[in-house]
Amino acid sequence: MVVHRSWEIAFDAPASRPVRAARMVVAAHGLDRDAVLVLDADSDEFVTVPGLPAHLSRNTVSLSSDGTRLVFLSRQDDGAGPMRVVLHALATGARQEFVSDGFVRAALSPDGSRIAVLADLSNGPGIPGEGDEIAGIVLIETATGARQPLWSAEGYWQEDAISWSPDGRLLAATYLTLDDVITTVVLDLSGKVIGVYEDRVALPGAHSVWTSDREIIVYPEPDDESPLIAIDVPTGSERRFTRRNFSGYLAITGGRVVRPGSSPERVVTTDLNDTDERPFLTFRPAVSIEAIDIVPSAVR
């Protein structure tokens, strides 16, 4: 399983080539370069993805559930124009693009048929207290580009996260209400609200939120000791874990937490109670990681 392995990565040295499919993506910023690296499912090596847009938002990068496509937001190649959601095929470099002024973050459904997009539907200038501030979710059919408004609420995408349940039947999203309450909401695909969890934040990684078809992992806000909390969506019951380290969360997968290690170049994993620490990624030189996403099939 990926989360029980470790890699040493020379950030300036990985090969740049297409891959058939990937098990993990890391978007990072180094001293003199940015890069999106994927763990090749065939060779078990990290490689740099070639041919990506110059103005992609690295913190929005995720993988499709089958590991064959990257999903991210980007501006046009000249840096102008509205944000677009991009599906980038790793093997061929072929792209699908969906453009809107209000797009913030996107996640591809497990079957690849739809994209759930966080959208700023505000009529005002985006300043709290001025104008009509609306956070919403739009579904896009990947085959046709048809768009369906799914849900909206008064608020902002300050803590933006969007994730599909493994069976593709539910969505979880985190937003900030007009009363400045961080809230995670769970919806079905009719737009019906299944659960509302105030002061609960989901990680932004597309595959870091759901542990099963019915359970999500969040952490509390205000950020006191940041213990992880598992919520059973049908019942609303919670399981709270233990927090022993305060260096932040990068991803959660297969019952393991991915977080920064004790030195700048190290990334480690722990169990959900922040014990059983194991080495995971070592970058030389050290980098700033802006996104990590691990596909569920990599940890089975």
Side-chain angles (χ1 to χ4, degrees), residues 12-201:
D12 296 328
S16 177
R17 59 176 172 81
V19 303
R20 180 187 62 82
R23 294 186 288 164
M24 182 189 339
V25 61
V26 179
H29 172 73
L31 290 175
D32 56 2
R33 71 188 291 257
D34 301 322
V36 175
L37 297 87
V38 294
L39 179 62
D40 188 339
D42 294 324
S43 69
D44 200 39
E45 296 176 343
F46 276 95
V47 300
T48 302
V49 181
L52 294 177
H55 296 279
L56 70 86
S57 296
R58 291 183 302 279
N59 66 321
T60 67
V61 174
S62 65
L63 278 167
S64 60
S65 292
D66 64 3
T68 62
R69 288 180 284 183
L70 291 182
V71 185
F72 54 85
L73 267 65
S74 176
R75 295 200 178 275
Q76 301 298 325
D77 289 339
D78 61 1
M83 295 298 289
R84 50 185 171 157
V85 176
V86 180
L87 303 182
H88 178 97
L90 291 172
T92 65
R95 296 181 196 166
Q96 285 181 275
E97 300 181 359
F98 308 89
V99 178
S100 172
D101 284 325
F103 287 170
V104 178
R105 189 178 288 271
L108 188 64
S109 64
D111 66 4
S113 65
R114 285 175 283 194
I115 309 169
V117 184
L118 304 183
D120 180 1
L121 306 180
S122 304
N123 295 321
I127 302 172
E130 296 187 21
D132 183 18
E133 306 300 338
I134 303 294
I137 296 175
V138 177
L139 294 181
I140 302 176
E141 299 286 340
T142 56
T144 66
R147 305 183 184 199
Q148 171 196 347
L150 181 68
W151 169 88
S152 64
E154 292 185 321
Y156 320 90
W157 293 120
Q158 175 173 308
E159 297 284 347
D160 50 335
I162 183 76
S163 179
W164 294 83
S165 61
D167 61 9
R169 296 182 178 181
L170 299 175
L171 284 163
T174 297
Y175 74 107
L176 181 68
T177 71
L178 289 184
D179 297 326
D180 293 331
V181 178
I182 292 289
T183 301
T184 294
V185 60
V186 175
L187 318 161
D188 67 18
L189 298 189
S190 73
K192 178 183 177 181
V193 175
I194 306 300
V196 177
Y197 312 106
E198 294 185 350
D199 299 321
R200 299 290 185 264
V201 183

Side-chain angles (χ1 to χ4, degrees), residues 3 12 87 199 210 273 283:
V3 289
D12 296 328
L87 303 182
D199 299 321
W210 294 85
N273 280 309
F283 288 93

